[in-house]
Amino acid sequence: MKITVIGTGYVGLVTGACLAEMGNHVVCMDHDAARIGALRQGHIPIHEPGLSDIVVRNAHAGRLKFTTDMAQAVAHGVIQMIAVGTPSGEDGSADLQHVLAAARAVAQHMEQYKLVVTKSTVPVGTADKVRQAMDAVLAERATQPAYSIASNPEFLKEGSAVQDFMRPDRVIVGTSDAEAASRLHTLYAPFMRNRDRFVVMDVRSAEFTKYAANAMLATRISFMNELALLSETLGVDIEHVRNGMGMDPRIGTHFLYAGAGYGGSCFPKDVSALLKTASDHGHHLQVLEGVKAVNDRQKGVLVRKVLARFGPDLSGLRFALWGLAFKPGTDDMREAPSLTVIYDLLERGAEVCAYDPVAIAQARKTLGDRKGLHFADSANAALDGATALIIVTEWKEFRSPDFDHIAATLRAPVIFDGRNLFEPTEMKTLGFEYHPIGRAAP
């Protein structure tokens, strides 16, 4: 098939590359000339395991092309996938200007039938706005080529997006057009050879499904984080509780880890957008309001532990910080808990030396030059001159560190662990003062 993907951000680039990998001919369009130029040279603007190889391989094979020419992009594909950003507005609502601009551009240049598919995460009712935008442009052009609209939300996890796309646990399509559904089923069939996971529903339900899924996952995280704080008061080990809960098949084991809060481009934005949608329609989602409030508070839990240990004035103290990205496997700094930790420590007079395997470049762009903030080239280098170690992101290389080196390098053998990587009893045996999340002191 010939596919056009509008937007070469995280979703658009993964979508275009993976569709090309299955033999489709894909054109990815973006107005950012610098980004398109870099992609043509094989330079990938995001860190995503496996993505670079797929992009380079399919570009070399001629199945994946990049352009800034909207007319060319619209002419190429019968299927036009909109995968542009929907950032949060100040009121928490999803900003649809890029989605609607893409829809208008398709209408402006289309000369024959197009299936317009929204992959961006959008509020319920966006498909109606897309149709209105396209109809207005077509009316101005005094032409009426046929088109269909579908919602096809993505369910990709940063750090495993390529695998998620190639082996989806479900493909959700919202449309009332049987021909559109059939075209998309044909497109996705090669990804579901072992079991057909293609689900068709109405457009509004498909739009809502993505928000509901992310809201549920965010709820599980905040629920465990709230229990973790209570566990510390009661002398309970939240890891034992998690294991016991996860054995119940009705609950399962995923997203039950207590920690320093969630971040990234999806959960914070989607929870806020769903709350705004509810408010606009006279509803108050009390559970989700709590989820957001708990997460906002949880991002400060590590600094509260630091202050409890070292006092309110951190002047003259230097902290090693391991992990900047909001999760392992990505360089995404959006809404990362590390940002809250760094801002709060610097505000109280401390110095911070941070290390991350892949996110330092993005962290520099996000944080800029700040007095007292330094970056290290390795985890061990970040320890030099540090009073204590703070772990924010659970990268694999942090799971089995050289504890003897850590103890010898830190001014005090103190570790604040925002991801519960180690066992408290073992840390005590090694001579560390260990501050995890929701785990009673041995």
Side-chain angles (χ1 to χ4, degrees):
M1 285 190 183
K2 291 184 177 181
I3 313 296
T4 293
V5 178
I6 302 171
T8 58
Y10 183 82
V11 174
L13 188 55
V14 172
T15 297
C18 290
L19 289 175
E21 181 75 355
M22 284 298 184
N24 297 289
H25 288 262
V26 180
V27 168
C28 290
M29 184 276 164
D30 202 295
H31 291 297
D32 188 334
R35 177 178 286 248
I36 291 298
L39 287 168
R40 287 172 174 169
Q41 297 297 317
H43 301 304
I44 311 302
I46 58 176
H47 177 84
E48 183 61 42
L51 180 59
S52 180
D53 290 342
I54 292 180
V55 169
V56 171
R57 179 168 58 248
N58 285 280
H60 184 265
R63 291 190 298 270
L64 180 62
K65 298 181 179 180
F66 302 97
T67 185
T68 58
D69 188 330
M70 179 60 83
Q72 176 189 354
V74 173
H76 172 78
V78 172
I79 297 178
Q80 302 276 315
M81 291 189 163
I82 298 176
V84 296
T86 55
S88 291
E90 293 184 1
D91 60 357
S93 61
D95 186 346
L96 297 178
Q97 63 173 316
H98 302 300
V99 172
L100 299 180
R104 294 187 188 100
V106 172
Q108 185 63 47
H109 295 288
M110 63 187 288
E111 299 294 342
Q112 55 190 1
Y113 173 83
K114 301 293 179 183
L115 169 52
V116 180
V117 180
T118 302
K119 288 203 72 68
S120 303
T121 301
V122 295
V124 173
T126 297
D128 297 334
K129 295 179 180 180
V130 167
R131 185 176 296 279
Q132 292 167 6
M134 293 185 65
D135 285 347
V137 173
L138 293 174
E140 290 178 3
R141 292 180 59 200
T143 182
Q144 287 295 326
Y147 71 91
S148 302
I149 288 178
S151 173
N152 175 215
E154 53 83 17
F155 296 94
L156 308 177
K157 300 185 294 293
E158 292 192 48
S160 61
V162 171
Q163 180 179 347
D164 291 345
F165 198 102
M166 301 301 285
R167 297 181 178 180
D169 50 25
R170 79 278 208 196
V171 175
I172 303 294
V173 168
T175 184
S176 58
D177 187 320
E179 177 61 25
S182 178
R183 286 179 185 269
L184 290 173
H185 186 269
T186 300
L187 177 65
Y188 283 110
F191 299 92
M192 305 179 292
R193 296 190 65 185
N194 291 334
R195 177 183 170 190
D196 194 329
R197 301 172 183 269
F198 194 80
V199 181
V200 180
M201 59 183 69
D202 63 277
V203 174
R204 298 174 76 87
S205 294
E207 292 170 336
F208 197 66
T209 296
K210 174 59 187 292
Y211 279 113
N214 279 352
M216 172 58 79
L217 297 177
T219 298
R220 287 169 69 96
I221 294 171
S222 282
F223 178 73
M224 292 305 294
N225 281 335
E226 192 148 53
L227 290 186
L229 298 185
L230 179 60
S231 295
E232 293 181 358
T233 301
L234 298 178
V236 171
D237 189 329
I238 194 65
E239 283 295 293
H240 293 166
V241 175
R242 177 184 65 81
N243 287 331
M245 292 171 59
M247 290 179 180
D248 187 329
R250 297 170 301 175
I251 298 173
T253 60
H254 297 297
F255 289 84
L256 290 184
Y257 290 86
Y262 60 76
S265 63
C266 294
F267 289 2
K269 176 174 69 72
D270 293 352
V271 168
S272 293
L274 192 50
L275 286 170
K276 181 61 167 61
T277 296
S279 177
D280 288 346
H281 290 81
H283 290 267
H284 295 285
L285 302 182
Q286 296 179 18
V287 171
L288 275 192
E289 289 172 353
V291 167
K292 184 178 184 300
V294 167
N295 192 62
D296 291 342
R297 181 186 65 192
Q298 195 70 13
K299 286 184 177 182
V301 68
L302 285 171
V303 173
R304 290 195 294 274
K305 289 177 178 289
V306 169
L307 297 177
R309 171 61 174 78
F310 292 104
D313 184 1
L314 302 179
S315 300
L317 301 184
R318 181 182 175 107
F319 293 90
L321 188 145
W322 285 2
L324 289 162
F326 86 93
K327 63 178 286 187
T330 181
D331 61 352
D332 197 339
M333 289 293 299
R334 287 173 287 186
E335 302 284 344
S338 65
L339 297 175
T340 299
V341 175
I342 291 171
Y343 292 145
D344 288 352
L345 291 177
L346 295 179
E347 183 179 349
R348 288 166 172 79
E351 289 190 29
V352 176
C353 187
Y355 166 73
D356 189 283
V358 304
I360 288 180
Q362 288 297 326
R364 289 184 186 275
K365 293 179 182 178
T366 302
L367 291 161
D369 294 328
R370 292 176 181 270
K371 181 181 178 181
L373 176 61
H374 315 278
F375 296 97
D377 294 330
S378 69
N380 283 341
L383 300 171
D384 292 341
T387 303
L389 168 62
I390 302 172
I391 302 173
V392 186
T393 311
E394 65 274 32
W395 286 96
K396 289 182 180 179
E397 69 176 81
F398 302 156
R399 295 181 182 180
S400 297
D402 184 340
F403 287 112
D404 289 339
H405 178 80
I406 295 174
T409 307
L410 292 177
R411 294 179 181 175
V414 181
I415 297 178
F416 300 92
D417 185 357
R419 298 301 172 186
N420 289 343
L421 296 185
F422 314 124
E423 284 298 320
T425 53
E426 294 178 6
M427 298 303 291
K428 183 178 181 180
T429 300
L430 290 170
F432 285 96
E433 182 182 323
Y434 183 57
H435 300 272
I437 306 295
R439 310 195 71 179

